Every structure is written in structure tokens, then in C-alpha cells.
Amino acid sequence: MIARRDFLFGGACVAALGVAEALRPRTLLTLMPSDPLTQLVPTHMGAWVLGEGGDIVTPKVPGSLSDKLYSDTLTRLYVNTQTGEQVMLLVAYGRAQSDILQLHRPESCYPAIGLAIQARKNNDIPLKPGVTIPAVALTAGEESRIEDIVYWTRLGEYLPRTAGDQRRDRLQTAMEGIIGDGVLVRASMLRQSHDMPPKYDRLNEFMASLITGMKPTNRPGFIGSERAKQIA
């Protein structure tokens, strides 16, 4: 004879299966245009120009983590023609953000290559009065290398600042029946010594120039639809 508790357990399993099926994303939300990143990201904006040698090509290794996570990546060195300052830019785009395939944040990537995170704070990048990009400012380094970093991530229409926020936003999009695409935009500058102030403000200026310098139709893929409308 089947016990009553077995019926209850079986019913709970069926209910859980129904919830899981209801939460299964069915629609792919893609905000990034289909063109390669090399065509979407401007090569010059204001005093910032692409450095000599052009794009930095990093060959994809089939089956590698980077190959699985990202549909397209862009690495560039920009030079300020007025001051000589240099900014390293990385853009990494993933067409579908799931539990397995998701953006990797600099807080985990830098320590993995031996550069400890020395400072971290929330950082709003001003685009125009009342419109900012919710970003993160970091300092990573060791004795001989200090790197100041500003980055943000977009997941669907969300711009999460932390890994926890990213998990929450991914769950929210799943509950809406959506698999969102995602992008990480990271800029960094080297600093000569710990006695010098971080270069976060300068990186903010660069990032703002990057977004305002690109075609309006390309901006939603980097900062979401709403912010793109606000600065149009």
C-alpha cells in the first residue's frame, strides 16, 4: 500500500517540476547589434585615439573557458593625444547568459593571474546630468604593478554591480521567460606608485567619451535601452 506521505512527496515533486518548467527561459533578449565589436566601438572619441598597431588580437582557443563564455571580445589600447595617457579597454560579449555561461568579473579574474584586489568601491559614471552608469572601481596589483580599473556589466536590461546582483538579475530575467545577452566593459590605467591618487575619475571620463562617441543605435548593447534613450 502506498502511504499518504508518498502521495504528498510525489505531488510536491510534480509541483516543483511545474515551477521549474514555468521558469525555463524561452525568449532570447539581444540588445547588442550583430556587427563585430570592432565595428561597434569607436576608434577615436575626442582626444582619445586607438594606439599604434590597432586592435590587440588574442587568438581564441577552441573549448577554452573564454571561448565558451564569450561570443566576441575586443581588446584595445587608447592614447590621449593631449596628455599621452594610455587606457587599456576590454569588451567581452556573451550572447546568452545562463547559470553556466555568465560574465566573469575582474574581482575574480585579477587575483587568478596574481594581482590582488587592493581597493573596491561602487562608482557611478556620469553621462549627462541625472544619467549615470552603475559601475565598479577597483585597484589591483603587486609590488611592481598597480592598475586602476573601472568596469560595468550589462545583463539583459540590468546593470548589476556584484556577483550577487548578477545572480538575482539573471533569475529575474528567467522568471520573465527571457535569456538575456550580456557584456562586460572594462577600462584600466597603470599607476606609478601607491602615493599617487587612483585614476578613477580619468577612467570615468574615458568611459563616458566611449559611450557618447558611439552611434546611438549601438548604445543599448552596452548600457541598456533606457539609458541609451536618456542620452539620445
Side-chain angles (χ1 to χ4, degrees):
M1 180 181 295
I2 299 177
R4 174 182 173 82
R5 67 177 182 179
D6 293 326
F7 274 114
L8 294 176
F9 180 75
C13 289
V14 171
L17 180 61
V19 171
E21 180 63 24
L23 288 177
R24 180 180 295 175
R26 292 175 171 80
T27 303
L28 181 62
L29 173 65
T30 304
L31 298 183
M32 188 70 73
S34 58
D35 298 317
L37 291 174
T38 52
Q39 297 180 23
L40 302 177
V41 179
T43 56
H44 63 275
M45 50 276 184
W48 295 99
V49 299
L50 182 63
E52 291 185 14
D55 295 338
I56 302 171
V57 179
T58 53
K60 271 197 169 187
V61 179
S64 67
L65 180 60
S66 177
D67 183 51
K68 293 177 181 178
L69 292 177
Y70 302 121
S71 311
D72 194 8
T73 58
L74 171 73
T75 308
R76 282 179 176 169
L77 178 69
Y78 285 84
V79 179
N80 189 297
T81 56
Q82 297 177 354
T83 65
E85 295 169 298
Q86 297 184 347
V87 168
M88 296 170 283
L89 175 70
L90 169 69
V91 181
Y93 173 67
R95 190 165 289 110
Q97 298 296 295
S98 66
D99 287 335
I100 300 174
L101 303 180
Q102 54 184 296
L103 302 173
H104 276 203
R105 294 178 166 271
E107 289 95 327
S108 60
C109 295
Y110 274 83
I113 60 173
L115 298 177
I117 302 298
Q118 300 176 353
R120 183 193 187 279
K121 68 173 185 176
N122 289 346
N123 170 56
D124 293 320
I125 301 173
L127 296 177
K128 62 179 290 188
V131 183
T132 61
I133 302 173
V136 177
L138 301 171
T139 295
E142 55 181 8
E143 293 268 340
S144 59
R145 181 186 178 93
I146 308 168
E147 190 170 340
D148 293 319
I149 306 143
V150 165
Y151 83 92
W152 76 84
T153 59
R154 177 189 63 77
L155 173 60
E157 291 286 6
Y158 298 97
L159 276 75
R161 287 196 219 245
T162 68
D165 292 343
Q166 188 169 310
R167 288 190 293 270
R168 178 202 63 202
D169 295 341
R170 195 171 62 252
L171 176 60
Q172 181 61 39
T173 57
M175 293 177 66
E176 295 166 359
I178 293 171
I179 300 175
D181 64 346
V183 67
L184 181 147
V185 185
R186 187 191 81 201
S188 62
M189 301 177 75
L190 295 178
R191 186 166 20 125
Q192 298 301 316
S193 74
H194 289 284
D195 297 330
M196 301 172 64
K199 300 185 178 183
Y200 303 147
D201 290 342
R202 201 71 178 118
L203 288 166
N204 282 352
E205 293 172 11
F206 170 84
M207 289 295 219
S209 296
L210 182 76
I211 295 301
T212 57
M214 66 176 53
K215 293 180 180 178
T217 53
N218 294 341
R219 292 172 186 158
F222 294 84
I223 59 174
S225 302
E226 188 59 35
R227 283 179 178 79
K229 291 177 183 177
Q230 291 173 337
I231 65 170

